[in-house]
């Protein structure tokens, strides 16, 4: 009998999602400085990420488990942070998803950089996941799992207000999941739209103690002064009326684990 996770994935419909913005392949970890540009000591090529929990609270889980929460065919597949750890390697992905569905490839990063990584379901945009490693040569030491472009994956979130988040989630929906306002970068620059702090909200306490990084894009129909008010190298509260006015939505989601 086929693995239940594989059965559910095979039943998931392809959904046409508009691609998001610049990709985040850094697995939601940027070190203690709190500065995304200081992430080079933790992340390949200095990709921007969100510091969500302190190193002291980043306890690592020991199980790899299944990457898929059991769902019906009418639902989108769900990633649960608790089902992974930094010990997860490429061999574990092959065992879980099947050898034919796990390939090595080059992942896009910030500022035109690239890195070696692993792609799950490379031929199916709705089921595609991009995996980065702390040891990319040996494809081990899980660094991050990224959902982007047209991927239909949802990410399990803690709390009861909202149980999952996916691409195209609104600013208000992410705030609901966090159960309080949070901080994000202004738009229109290299690290624009990245969440910067959950401000102690629910999303600071992901299951399995991994980190959650979310990037937003403004509504493409919004331009001019409205966009200018929330652009540039500065932070805004998600509750800021000017930020809400540009109707941001999620363009990429990453689960991440620290190297040590």
């Amino acid at each position: 009998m086929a693995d239940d996770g594989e059965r559910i994935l095979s039943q998931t419909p392809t959904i046409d999602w508009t691609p998001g913005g610049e990709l985040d392949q850094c697995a939601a970890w940027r070190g203690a400085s709190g500065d995304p540009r200081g992430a080079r000591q933790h992340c390949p090529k200095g990709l921007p990420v969100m510091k969500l929990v302190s190193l002291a609270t980043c306890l690592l889980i020991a199980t790899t488990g299944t990457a898929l929460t059991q769902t019906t065919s009418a639902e989108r597949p769900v990633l649960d942070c608790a089902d992974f750890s930094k010990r997860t390697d490429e061999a574990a992905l092959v065992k879980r998803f099947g050898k034919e569905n796990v390939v090595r490839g080059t992942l896009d990063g910030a500022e035109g950089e690239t890195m070696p990584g692993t792609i799950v379901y490379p031929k199916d945009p709705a089921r595609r996941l991009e995996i980065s490693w702390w040891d990319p040569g040996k494809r081990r030491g899980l660094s991050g799992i990224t959902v982007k472009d047209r991927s239909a994956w949802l990410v399990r979130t803690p709390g009861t207000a909202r149980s999952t988040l996916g691409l195209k989630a609104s600013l208000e929906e992410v705030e609901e999941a966090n159960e309080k306002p949070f901080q994000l970068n202004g738009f229109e620059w290299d690290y624009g739209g990245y969440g910067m702090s959950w401000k102690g909200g629910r999303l600071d306490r992901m299951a399995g103690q991994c980190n959650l990084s979310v990037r937003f894009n403004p509504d493409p129909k919004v331009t001019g002064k409205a966009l200018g008010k929330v652009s540039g190298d500065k932070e805004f509260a998600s509750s800021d009326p000017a930020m809400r006015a540009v109707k941001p939505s999620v363009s990429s989601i990453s689960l991440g684990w620290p190297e040590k």
Side-chain angles (χ1 to χ4, degrees), residues 156-229:
R156 179 73 62 197
T157 57
T160 58
R162 191 175 187 87
S163 62
T164 60
L165 286 173
L167 300 185
K168 297 301 176 182
S170 69
L171 193 71
E172 292 81 2
E173 289 171 332
V174 178
E175 192 174 281
E176 178 186 11
N178 194 46
E179 298 185 12
K180 66 183 300 183
F182 57 92
Q183 296 292 113
L184 68 157
N185 272 343
F187 302 106
E188 302 283 282
W189 66 297
D190 288 342
Y191 304 136
Y194 280 99
M196 298 304 295
S197 172
W198 297 122
K199 305 294 287 185
R202 281 285 188 176
L203 298 182
D204 255 334
R205 302 187 291 276
M206 294 291 288
Q209 297 168 323
C210 73
N211 302 322
L212 174 69
S213 177
V214 176
R215 192 177 195 182
F216 296 85
N217 278 345
D219 187 326
K221 297 178 182 178
V222 177
T223 59
K225 291 183 178 180
L227 183 57
K229 289 180 180 178

Side-chain angles (χ1 to χ4, degrees), residues 77-89:
V78 179
L79 287 170
D80 194 326
C81 196
D83 292 332
F84 298 89
S85 80
K86 81 167 190 176
R87 298 181 184 182
T88 301
D89 58 13

Side-chain angles (χ1 to χ4, degrees), residues 74 91 236 243:
F236 296 84
M243 178 59 71

Side-chain angles (χ1 to χ4, degrees), residues 97-120:
F97 296 107
K99 183 176 181 180
E100 69 279 9
N101 298 318
V102 178
V103 303
R104 297 184 175 186
T106 300
L107 308 182
D108 294 324
E111 302 176 352
E113 300 286 357
T114 60
M115 71 183 84
T118 300
I119 302 170
V120 176

Side-chain angles (χ1 to χ4, degrees), residues 136-149:
K138 296 182 178 180
R139 264 66 172 188
R140 66 184 183 186
L142 180 62
S143 172
I145 303 173
T146 297
V147 178
K148 48 88 174 175
D149 292 343

